[in-house]
Amino acid sequence: MKKILIIAFIPLLFTACKKDLTKLNIDPKNPATVPAEALFTNGEHNLVNTVTSSNVNLNIFRLVDQYWQETTYPDESNYDLNQRSIPQNFWVALYRDVLQNLQSSKKLIATSDAPGVQKNKAAQADILEVYTYYYLVTTYGNIPYTQALNIDSTTTPKYDDQTAVYSALLTRLDADIAALDPSVDGWGAADIIYGGDVSAWKLFANSFKLKMGITLADADPTKAKSVVESAVASGVFASNADNASFAYMSGPPNTNPIWVDLVQSGRKDFVAATTIVNIMKPLNDPRIPLYFTTDFAGGYSGAAPGASSNYATFSKPSTTITDPAYPALLLGYDEVEFDLAEAVERGFTVTGTAMSHYNAAVTASILYWGGTTSDATTYLAQPSVNYLTAAGTYKQKIGTQEWIALYNRGVDSWIAIRRLDYPVIVAPSSALSVFPVRYTYPINEQNLNKANYDAASAAIGGDKVATKLFWDKF
């Protein structure tokens, strides 16, 4: 009887095992496919966090640009880039956490979407890829580009010439702008920058094209003129309402990374730097109380760049910037107006005068930070600020005011300083190098992709922080 029961049970056992094993191959917590929308949102979020962060392991541009100074451990203020592997962390964040997500989102766009929606989605993701590559090429020089994300083909990608990469990015951006169709949808709610507004994306893309054109102005004035005039003719930001802004939330995990670094962590690592305080105070800048707290004496003061500083003594980053929900910017109207002022000075064909665009830029910045139109009018009327009477060349006037305006956008400020050479940033006496005009390549590239690393280093003139990139001519 037992034998009969066992024999009868065997087919049932095999049937049951086969069915159960199939189910076990499916992990409900780790789906085999990820929605394109999730990847696009993640790419946006990672991008904004990377360029906004104040974490010394990732983003030290506020220290390099001398907006802030460290209190106890001033290594990064003294241009120590390698102790925390900062060039590698910035590189990985942009390639792996941003570009890989965006490229994957394009591959997974639903074929069930209408063709126009598919095109909009692909164009929007590609615009952010162009944006991300722009920061890589302006930070390192020659970079992996044509083979960068082909990990199935090679784990040792070649480095492409920085000038060729820049040109390719402009070509891609033009194609993306042409592909955008505001009459149909894009990413919709998955787009956490513009909420699916395709017309806003078109303005953003043209405004970023303007920025890319101005970046080229010293290296290739003819091409820069063509790019800038084309962007302006197609339409660029006209007010702060157009800003490419990312709205953080008041509670974790999607909070302002500066709040995470300075408040949630409970650390007291940063105070104001003398460089910015000593420029803003004599100008009676209405933004200073919006940028910094008062110091122990009730005024505003900063610590010397590169020196260890007492946290209690000096002004600190304000509660405005450390609010958990304070938004971040990928591109602002104030920067667009500064670029237009510069375009006029360079003889490019754009409407308005250098002064009118300069005034609009400064006003936009003051309003964005919470000041008033009256504050801006009073500020601009001062001889030391007025475009007609302020000291220096147009590069000094625009450069100084743009640097002030870009206070919370350190990487963009670093690009502007290198481009315009104002304000003059003096390296701390204890600095490990001169003011860095590029990041060195990551240690992993030197170890794991050595042949291509060696070729890239030689091509740009040496893997040094003092090696100027192709667009930084003066």
Side-chain angles (χ1 to χ4, degrees), residues 373-421:
T373 302
S374 177
D375 291 336
T377 300
T378 301
Y379 181 66
L380 288 164
Q382 298 177 103
S384 56
V385 180
N386 186 290
Y387 196 74
L388 298 178
T389 55
T393 64
Y394 79 84
K395 285 190 173 185
Q396 181 173 349
K397 296 173 187 179
I398 294 172
T400 300
Q401 285 298 327
E402 188 165 11
W403 172 74
I404 294 172
L406 292 175
Y407 167 63
N408 197 35
R409 295 177 56 212
V411 62
D412 293 288
S413 176
W414 185 49
I415 293 169
I417 291 169
R418 289 180 288 159
R419 228 175 29 76
L420 295 168
D421 301 306

Side-chain angles (χ1 to χ4, degrees), residues 94-154:
L94 294 179
Y95 272 115
R96 183 195 65 194
D97 302 338
V98 180
L99 287 171
Q100 193 65 55
N101 273 284
L102 293 171
Q103 186 188 63
S104 297
S105 76
K106 289 194 295 185
K107 291 179 179 178
L108 294 172
I109 291 170
T111 54
S112 58
D113 286 336
V117 174
Q118 291 181 47
K119 286 181 66 177
N120 278 345
K121 287 182 173 181
Q124 288 167 299
D126 201 67
I127 288 164
L128 289 183
E129 283 194 49
V130 169
Y131 183 100
T132 305
Y133 272 119
Y134 169 85
Y135 288 99
L136 285 163
V137 77
T138 55
T139 298
Y140 300 95
N142 287 15
I143 56 170
Y145 178 67
T146 54
Q147 295 181 352
L149 303 177
N150 300 331
I151 57 175
D152 292 334
S153 302
T154 179

Side-chain angles (χ1 to χ4, degrees), residues 39-242:
L39 291 165
F40 180 75
T41 301
N42 205 39
E44 283 188 325
H45 191 206
N46 290 339
L47 173 58
V48 177
N49 275 1
T50 299
V51 298
T52 305
S53 172
S54 56
N55 189 311
V56 290
N57 295 296
L58 176 65
N59 185 335
I60 64 166
F61 294 112
R62 293 178 185 85
L63 302 172
V64 172
D65 301 340
Q66 296 185 4
Y67 294 129
W68 294 356
Q69 171 53 33
E70 290 165 295
T71 52
T72 307
Y73 307 106
D75 304 283
E76 291 72 36
S77 301
N78 286 303
Y79 311 151
D80 184 347
L81 303 181
N82 293 315
Q83 182 170 302
R84 298 179 188 271
S85 300
I86 295 163
Q88 181 165 299
N89 295 337
F90 192 66
W91 174 284
V92 169
L94 294 179
Y95 272 115
R96 183 195 65 194
D97 302 338
V98 180
L99 287 171
Q100 193 65 55
N101 273 284
L102 293 171
Q103 186 188 63
S104 297
S105 76
K106 289 194 295 185
K107 291 179 179 178
L108 294 172
I109 291 170
T111 54
S112 58
D113 286 336
V117 174
Q118 291 181 47
K119 286 181 66 177
N120 278 345
K121 287 182 173 181
Q124 288 167 299
D126 201 67
I127 288 164
L128 289 183
E129 283 194 49
V130 169
Y131 183 100
T132 305
Y133 272 119
Y134 169 85
Y135 288 99
L136 285 163
V137 77
T138 55
T139 298
Y140 300 95
N142 287 15
I143 56 170
Y145 178 67
T146 54
Q147 295 181 352
L149 303 177
N150 300 331
I151 57 175
D152 292 334
S153 302
T154 179
T155 56
T156 55
K158 71 172 185 177
Y159 285 58
D160 294 275
D161 174 74
Q162 55 187 321
T163 308
V165 171
Y166 207 92
S167 181
L169 293 177
L170 284 169
T171 299
R172 281 174 69 171
L173 192 57
D174 278 338
D176 294 332
I177 292 168
L180 289 172
D181 181 359
S183 70
V184 294
D185 293 333
W187 288 100
D191 170 20
I192 49 180
I193 295 174
Y194 282 121
D197 187 336
V198 178
S199 294
W201 274 91
K202 205 159 187 112
L203 275 180
F204 169 56
N206 275 306
S207 300
F208 190 68
K209 181 179 174 180
L210 166 65
K211 177 187 177 80
M212 289 190 69
I214 283 292
T215 303
L216 276 180
D218 284 337
D220 190 342
T222 301
K223 186 167 187 175
K225 184 176 189 295
S226 173
V227 171
V228 166
E229 290 175 358
S230 171
V232 173
S234 295
V236 295
F237 289 171
S239 74
N240 281 334
D242 297 325

